[in-house]
Amino acid sequence: MSTDGIGPADCGSEQGSSSDDLDEMWRGQLRWWHGLFAVLVVTTIVVMLAEDQQYLAWRIGCVVAIGAAYAVWGRRGMGERDVRAGLTYLAVAWGLMIVLMALDGTGTAWILSFGLFPQTWAILPRNKAAVTVILAVVGIGLARLWQGPRTGDDFVGIAISTVIMLVLSLTLGLFIDRIISEADTRARTIDELKRTQDELAAAERAQGVAGERERISREIHDTLAQGFTSVVTLARATELALDRGDLAAVRERLHLIEQTAADNLSEARLIVAEMTPGHLQSRTLSEALQRLVDAVSAESGMTGTLRVEGEPVVLPANSEVVLLRTAQEGLSNVRRHSGATTFEVALSYEPDGPVALAVSDNGVGFAPGAEARGYGLDGATARAAEVGGRFDVDSAPGEGSRLRVEVPR
């Protein structure tokens, strides 16, 4: 539907759009427009025959010609939006209407105006339709004046009736045009909203895929990669023990390699299944941390301790995962980079505050600048932010390091 007139729109080419639905509704209404105008034409002829006034044949001929013009051009101008056909029909119809009013002393021809005025607004854009209506009403008024001698009262009556007809036709046409234009605007807005919703849904899907990839990357880094590092370290220690002929140490290292590989395999399966980390399966958080501390101590030869402060509380699974993964990341850094001899994992349950976990060591430390942050520390920061927590690093060269994460209860 054009924004300037009443009729089907050329907008909304998308299948099933609101604009298409509006166009389809308009096309479905056209048969009622055709039927109504046919009734008006027949009614006008019947009334003329009943009155049997002068120029009857001419007047009936004009009415029939208007009906024929509608069948040939007007129907195409409205239904198919054929501009040339619509203009031809309006020129012929209004011209014949003025002739009718000049021949019709009783004013019977006014019946057809109930069809011509809406058709004008339906075929033409708003401004052109308004100009056409003004010219038609003025032309009809002049034709009525031409009919014969008029008194002063007749002139006043014709002028008043002409003004009333002009005001009513313009008001009704502009009102209908406003309604149809708003319907068209609403349909366009709905289509735009649907397109925006589709774009947002696609963006959300893409964001979800990226987020899932990032999550899996962190899971792999915090579990499988660290587990493989442990396997490599234990394998090298096993070679040294084998060179020394220390079979007891070899058996111990092989047992640890087997245990680490089994844990990694379990973690890999759980990552694929998007389940809770393997260390937390059937264990409390403190139990999972104790097992982690024991494993790192056995693999690295460092002395490790777990300290739990406060009364343990049940945390959401995501929060426990954040605490456990941070401990894994911290101990991985301690084992690979710190050169420490001792480390401590502290789990603190504040009575009215967050739950905090800290990993500290007596190693060489580092300057915690942007260049010192790797994927693991960035991943720990992201994990904490996802659950509304906070992660920070406190370290200095030669003074060891301390990682701390807080999560809300």
Side-chain angles (χ1 to χ4, degrees):
M1 184 179 305
S2 170
T3 56
D4 293 328
I6 307 174
D10 294 329
C11 67
S13 60
E14 298 178 2
Q15 183 69 24
S17 68
S18 297
S19 296
D20 289 338
D21 293 341
L22 187 61
D23 290 344
E24 185 62 31
M25 182 276 294
W26 168 253
R27 286 189 290 268
Q29 295 296 319
L30 282 176
R31 63 178 181 272
W32 298 103
W33 285 67
H34 302 331
L36 174 61
F37 193 62
V39 170
L40 292 176
V41 170
V42 172
T43 301
T44 303
I45 294 175
V46 170
V47 173
M48 286 182 175
L49 289 173
E51 291 176 345
D52 194 20
Q53 299 293 321
Q54 60 180 350
Y55 308 118
L56 179 62
W58 287 99
R59 289 186 287 127
I60 291 177
C62 288
V63 174
V64 172
I66 291 175
Y70 181 79
V72 175
W73 297 300
R75 180 177 53 82
R76 287 161 43 201
M78 292 182 62
E80 301 174 15
R81 301 299 290 166
D82 187 330
V83 177
R84 180 174 298 179
L87 292 174
T88 302
Y89 165 69
L90 291 177
V92 171
W94 280 116
L96 291 173
M97 186 67 182
I98 293 174
V99 173
L100 263 175
M101 295 303 299
L103 297 176
D104 186 12
T106 61
T108 303
W110 274 114
I111 297 175
L112 286 178
S113 67
F114 290 102
L116 290 178
F117 282 125
Q119 289 169 1
T120 301
W121 290 102
I123 292 173
L124 297 177
R126 180 182 60 248
N127 294 339
K128 293 181 179 180
V131 172
T132 301
V133 167
I134 292 173
L135 293 176
V137 172
V138 171
I140 290 173
L142 294 175
R144 293 178 62 192
L145 290 174
W146 179 81
Q147 286 176 344
R150 300 289 183 179
T151 65
D153 291 340
D154 291 334
F155 281 108
V156 173
I158 291 174
I160 292 176
S161 62
T162 299
V163 171
I164 292 175
M165 178 58 66
L166 180 61
V167 171
L168 289 177
S169 59
L170 287 176
T171 301
L172 180 61
L174 291 173
F175 175 72
I176 294 175
D177 177 80
R178 177 68 177 274
I179 293 176
I180 300 301
S181 296
E182 287 183 356
D184 179 70
T185 301
R186 187 175 294 110
R188 291 172 183 266
T189 301
I190 292 174
D191 290 340
E192 185 64 28
L193 287 174
K194 288 181 179 178
R195 284 192 293 270
T196 302
Q197 288 175 344
D198 292 340
E199 293 172 358
L200 287 175
E204 288 177 355
R205 285 194 295 271
Q207 184 178 6
V209 170
E212 184 63 12
R213 288 175 178 172
E214 183 179 356
R215 183 191 70 82
I216 293 176
S217 297
R218 289 200 303 262
E219 293 286 346
I220 292 174
H221 176 274
D222 293 344
T223 57
L224 304 184
Q226 294 178 15
F228 291 141
T229 300
S230 298
V231 169
V232 171
T233 302
L234 290 170
R236 291 172 180 172
T238 302
E239 289 180 357
L240 294 176
L242 188 60
D243 291 341
R244 296 194 307 269
D246 189 351
L247 295 182
V250 169
R251 291 191 182 92
E252 180 185 358
R253 301 303 182 190
L254 288 176
H255 174 73
L256 289 174
I257 290 175
E258 179 183 3
Q259 184 62 46
T260 302
D263 289 344
N264 259 26
L265 179 60
S266 176
E267 287 285 355
R269 289 171 176 170
L270 292 174
I271 288 173
V272 173
E274 296 184 357
M275 296 173 64
T276 304
H279 287 83
L280 290 175
Q281 292 293 311
S282 303
R283 299 184 183 92
T284 65
L285 176 60
S286 58
E287 290 173 343
L289 290 173
Q290 185 63 64
R291 180 180 178 183
L292 181 62
V293 168
D294 293 341
V296 173
S297 298
E299 294 169 9
S300 64
M302 293 184 291
T303 301
T305 57
L306 170 67
R307 178 166 52 88
V308 180
E309 298 178 348
E311 184 67 25
V313 296
V314 178
L315 296 175
N318 288 345
S319 296
E320 290 195 344
V321 169
V322 169
L323 294 174
L324 178 62
R325 294 305 190 211
T326 302
Q328 290 175 321
E329 173 62 24
L331 293 180
S332 175
N333 290 335
V334 169
R335 184 175 53 208
R336 290 183 296 171
H337 308 302
S338 71
T341 58
T342 63
F343 67 86
E344 180 186 69
V345 176
L347 180 62
S348 174
Y349 294 92
E350 299 291 339
D352 298 318
V355 177
L357 181 137
V359 178
S360 57
D361 64 73
N362 65 345
V364 296
F366 62 96
E371 64 280 0
R373 298 181 68 89
Y375 184 85
L377 296 183
D378 290 339
T381 302
R383 283 184 183 277
E386 287 176 358
V387 297
R390 185 180 65 177
F391 174 81
D392 56 64
V393 180
D394 182 18
S395 180
E399 298 181 7
S401 61
R402 182 173 181 267
L403 311 183
R404 189 173 190 274
V405 63
E406 293 181 355
V407 298
R409 288 176 177 264

